Amino acid sequence: MVKIRITMNGSEVLAPQGVTILDAAKSVGINIPTLCHHPKLEPIGACRICVVEVKGQRSLVTSCTFPVFEGMEVETESPKVVAARKLILDMLFSERNHYCPFCEMSGDCELQNLGYLYGIDHWVFPTYTRAFPVDSTRTYFFMDQNRCVLCQRCVRACNELVANHTLGLSQRGSLAMVSADANMLFSQSTCISCGNCLQFCPTGTLTDRRSSFMGRSNQAERVKSICNRCSIGCGTSIITRGGNVLRIEGDWGSPVNGGLLCKSGRFEPLYDERKRLLQPMIRRGKKLETASWEEAIAGIADKMENAKATEIGLLISGDATNEALYLANRLFKEGLNAQNVGILSGASPDLMAQKTGNLSDLSESDLILVVGANPVSDQPVASFLVKRLVDKGTRLIVVDDGENGLSPVAETTLNIEDIGKAIEIADTVKKVAVLYGKDVTEQAAQALTRLAAKAVFVSLEPGVNTRAAVAFGMNNGFQPASAKILYTMLGEADWNGGDILNTLDPDAFVILQAGYASLLTDRADVVLPSAIWSERSGSLTNTEGIVQMANQAVEPEGEAKPDWEILAMLGDRLGKNIGASFADISARAAQELK
């Protein structure tokens, strides 16, 4: 990379050719304040807080958009620059009703921080001249136009990253406001409530309902973790205070999602109103009664010790960690020789004979085929990527028999039986990416082999940790009718038994290991409470095969325990040496998944 010499605040700096003044300053630890700028968004130089003085330029320039050149001389805090920033801040504070002591973001506001930085202690220009509207029609967060500085970070996030194109600016001048779909209420607009605009907002304009007034950032703790709502495996930051989860944010540094989250990952886990299972229970007569962990584990072990291998069935949800899946494999398949096991979510067909890739490979493709998958509903963050690429000119063909959320932005939508037409179109381009899901038929899978030479194949697995579950042999064709003892590891799955309970032996002994109560609880003979997403640590393998660590943010509620610990207790009671410490189990699981 070619580097050039510039002078910044009197010191020589080497900077890569073509970078902006702002990036060059950051590379050597010089802070230039910003407001409308965000490293994940294209710079627009709207707020002008980042202006600097460049020798030879007639006026101050925005450092976020101005590229460096050989011999450039820059002053980032000259008297002229400081005076300009103060004037900009004075005008920003006058344009809306920024009464900081009564704002829910006081202490966490970028505008307020800039005011303190430059000694703004009074209003220079008249303020509070009119009231601006507040839209609180969305469930999870609201928009207060009184706090808006028109930085457009929310608009750019919606358009550039989520590619939903809901937000824009309406009206002009001092009356300009961020609006949704030509001034509709947000609840009636095309807004998908992903909350990415919320995380990009630098002021109190967009505010999370649940965590408002519950503490500033310096009073809370951040725990990096992994979302367990689908198989994409988005990086998250779990924000806690006093042992309570306040909110979930996207992890800007995550290689998978780069900070983006969907509604399901950001909000829904915090609004789950299902009843938690908090204590072990054993059925005595017709009633489930509270028991100790020792009693519950002993009751299960007694049943299993006297059972034949063919009588034991294991059904696992897709959100179990790699460590829990490893122990389930060691205990049931190896230790008890039980082979009647299955995954609730099912799995995508095995096309691994084809050239496999990652979601990042989509950006190198001329055409994307989405076959037997609906990422808009099942893996929303993956759909953001697809829609972004369509915005940039990548062609999209959807092949699916049902309604598909990507159809509105696709070049064409075909039924699965018409896969041949999609292949013919793909033959006319150089590079193809195939996103496929569990609804791919055998006919479609066979047809896709014709693209093996030019395409990369990316599976969009159902469930959360399905790829690891398949690797551990859990997708073995579960047969409920043959199970005399059914061990269910539901985790947080919202499953009530379905057709499985209808074909299950009425006298079968059912063990439920889950975080939440369901109709299946009424059928269970033993209930084991498991820790939920915020209460347990463990690794997850996403749909691309990337292994990531989900970290515990709060203590388990009641007597709930992580899935792996429950299985380890049962293994010990059965005399099976299936693992020692968590670190040992995690290392063994990682080794087997290589």
Side-chain angles (χ1 to χ4, degrees), residues 420-558:
K421 294 179 181 179
I423 303 295
E424 290 175 5
I425 298 173
D427 284 336
T428 65
V429 301
K430 289 183 178 180
K431 295 182 179 180
V432 181
V434 179
L435 285 178
Y436 67 95
K438 69 174 183 178
D439 293 330
V440 172
T441 62
E442 291 185 14
Q443 172 209 354
Q446 182 61 36
L448 288 169
T449 61
R450 287 172 47 188
L451 299 176
K454 65 165 62 177
V456 292
F457 292 78
V458 182
S459 169
L460 291 178
E461 292 287 358
V464 178
N465 204 23
T466 305
R467 181 156 177 165
V470 171
F472 281 119
M474 296 298 164
N475 195 33
N476 213 24
F478 179 72
Q479 300 296 325
S482 61
K484 303 298 182 184
I485 299 175
L486 175 59
Y487 197 107
T488 60
M489 279 178 55
L490 294 193
E492 296 165 56
D494 190 8
W495 180 73
N496 292 319
D499 294 337
I500 288 179
L501 289 184
N502 294 332
T503 56
L504 189 68
D505 187 328
D507 296 323
F509 188 80
V510 177
I511 302 105
L512 171 63
Q513 181 174 316
Y516 294 96
S518 65
L519 291 179
L520 191 59
T521 311
D522 298 330
R523 175 64 181 82
D525 294 284
V526 179
V527 174
L528 306 175
S530 61
I532 60 172
W533 60 276
S534 59
E535 302 169 348
R536 55 99 174 97
S537 294
S539 57
L540 298 168
T541 304
N542 85 336
T543 194
E544 303 166 279
I546 301 172
V547 178
Q548 304 175 97
M549 182 59 71
N551 294 304
Q552 178 182 345
V554 294
E555 290 298 317
E557 191 174 349

Side-chain angles (χ1 to χ4, degrees), residues 131-429:
F132 286 82
V134 177
D135 188 331
S136 60
T137 59
R138 280 181 288 200
T139 302
Y140 304 115
F141 59 108
F142 61 87
M143 185 167 200
D144 185 350
Q145 299 280 0
N146 293 279
R147 317 295 192 190
C148 185
V149 293
L150 298 177
C151 67
Q152 299 183 62
R153 275 162 52 164
C154 59
V155 176
R156 290 141 64 201
C158 185
N159 295 338
E160 295 174 18
L161 302 179
V162 181
N164 205 56
H165 305 289
T166 297
L167 299 181
L169 292 183
S170 63
Q171 305 186 62
R172 294 184 178 183
S174 62
L175 299 179
M177 289 187 291
V178 173
S179 62
D181 297 335
N183 276 338
M184 295 183 70
L185 291 174
F186 282 106
S187 61
Q188 298 172 359
S189 72
T190 58
C191 174
I192 57 175
S193 292
C194 63
N196 290 296
C197 58
L198 166 67
Q199 189 168 337
F200 275 94
C201 182
T203 66
T205 310
L206 290 164
T207 303
D208 177 55
R209 287 180 182 273
R210 191 175 185 274
S211 62
S212 292
F213 301 105
M214 295 185 70
R216 301 175 180 176
S217 291
N218 61 5
Q219 297 171 317
E221 296 181 1
R222 287 177 173 267
V223 178
K224 287 194 174 185
S225 193
I226 304 299
C227 178
N228 76 328
R229 306 291 285 190
C230 81
S231 61
I232 299 301
C234 294
T236 63
S237 287
I238 304 175
I239 318 299
T240 67
R241 185 183 183 192
N244 298 304
V245 177
L246 300 183
R247 63 185 178 274
I248 302 170
E249 294 181 353
D251 176 12
W252 298 122
S254 169
V256 173
N257 60 314
L260 296 183
L261 291 177
C262 67
K263 177 177 71 173
S264 179
R266 187 185 301 274
F267 298 116
E268 289 181 356
L270 303 175
Y271 287 79
D272 198 326
E273 296 181 349
R274 290 178 294 168
K275 181 181 178 182
R276 283 292 305 275
L277 295 174
L278 300 177
Q279 293 178 307
M281 292 184 285
I282 295 177
R283 185 171 299 281
R284 295 185 172 97
K286 294 184 178 181
K287 185 179 179 182
L288 279 173
E289 297 181 357
T290 301
S292 68
W293 272 103
E294 291 74 16
E295 289 178 298
I297 294 296
I300 298 169
D302 289 343
K303 285 285 184 179
M304 288 187 171
E305 284 174 339
N306 300 315
K308 298 177 182 177
T310 55
E311 295 176 338
I312 300 174
L314 173 65
L315 197 57
I316 293 182
S317 72
D319 61 0
T321 63
N322 291 338
E323 290 75 18
L325 292 171
Y326 167 79
L327 291 183
N329 179 54
R330 289 289 312 278
L331 176 59
F332 285 89
K333 295 188 68 180
E334 296 178 14
L336 299 173
N337 199 31
Q339 302 303 315
N340 188 16
V341 299
I343 310 171
L344 272 180
S345 61
S348 296
D350 185 8
L351 299 183
M352 294 306 175
Q354 313 305 324
K355 182 181 177 183
T356 59
N358 295 323
L359 290 170
S360 59
D361 294 323
L362 270 61
S363 60
E364 305 296 325
S365 303
D366 304 307
L367 172 68
I368 299 172
L369 295 183
V370 176
V371 185
N374 188 3
V376 169
S377 62
D378 300 332
Q379 299 91 10
V381 172
S383 75
F384 300 165
L385 172 59
V386 173
K387 291 191 289 184
R388 284 205 305 268
L389 293 173
V390 171
D391 283 350
K392 295 177 180 178
T394 303
R395 300 169 66 186
L396 171 65
I397 296 176
V398 172
V399 185
D400 195 4
D401 286 341
E403 291 186 10
N404 195 292
L406 286 176
S407 292
V409 297
E411 176 182 310
T412 185
T413 299
L414 302 169
N415 290 327
I416 290 280
E417 63 183 18
D418 296 322
I419 185 70
K421 294 179 181 179
I423 303 295
E424 290 175 5
I425 298 173
D427 284 336
T428 65
V429 301

Side-chain angles (χ1 to χ4, degrees), residues 35-51:
L35 188 60
C36 72
H37 180 76
H38 193 282
K40 295 291 182 180
L41 301 170
E42 290 294 322
I44 59 173
C47 71
R48 302 192 68 79
I49 285 292
C50 71
V51 291

